[in-house]
Amino acid sequence: MSDSHLDSAVQAVLQDVMEAEYPVLLDTFLTDSEERLRLLHKAERAADAQALRQAAHSFKGSCSNMGAPLLAGLCRQLEEAARREQLSQTAELIEQIEREFAIVRILFRAERQRYRH
């Protein structure tokens, strides 16, 4: 896996802890992330700084837990922009989050393929 997008040490710990449930964890993260992106877009369209902050915070946490540091960092930037109500920056940050998530999704799907029987 690409260490710039995914933290291999976190991945190794998750694999050890989750064992046979690791593929389910990957699937759940990908599904949840799609919903989180939808919520980011919805809050951004509504110019709802509070909802945007909460959605970014939640996404940041799951990205951190799954070992996606660049994605978590972008979510942190979005969370901070929303906290300061600097909504002029949010569309570009969401775009960057989507681009990084597209890379992470490919890497996790490739990882998931290793567990197919």
Side-chain angles (χ1 to χ4, degrees), residues 39-40 42-59 75 78-87 90:
L39 291 173
L40 290 177
K42 181 180 176 186
E44 199 262 334
R45 280 192 306 273
D48 186 339
Q50 179 68 6
L52 193 55
R53 185 193 64 75
Q54 289 173 335
H57 178 80
S58 178
F59 199 9
C75 290
L78 181 59
E79 179 184 11
E80 287 302 315
R83 177 176 282 119
R84 293 189 306 268
E85 298 193 8
Q86 295 174 330
L87 300 182
T90 60

Side-chain angles (χ1 to χ4, degrees), residues 9-20:
V10 172
Q11 294 302 301
V13 170
L14 288 172
Q15 290 170 26
D16 287 345
V17 170
M18 296 301 293
E19 296 177 342

Side-chain angles (χ1 to χ4, degrees), residues 1 6 11 14-15 18 21-33 66 107-113 115:
M1 272 187 268
L6 297 179
Q11 294 302 301
L14 288 172
Q15 290 170 26
M18 296 301 293
E21 293 300 308
Y22 181 64
V24 175
L25 178 67
L26 294 174
D27 292 342
T28 301
F29 173 76
L30 293 174
T31 301
D32 287 352
S33 295
M66 291 299 293
L107 294 171
F108 275 148
R109 284 182 175 163
E111 178 72 359
R112 180 69 177 85
Q113 288 299 315
Y115 292 88

Side-chain angles (χ1 to χ4, degrees), residues 37 41 71 74 93-103 105:
L37 281 171
H41 281 288
L71 191 52
L74 289 168
L93 282 167
I94 290 171
E95 237 179 76
Q96 291 174 10
I97 287 168
E98 284 192 313
R99 283 195 301 269
E100 180 61 19
F101 177 66
I103 294 166
R105 180 175 38 222

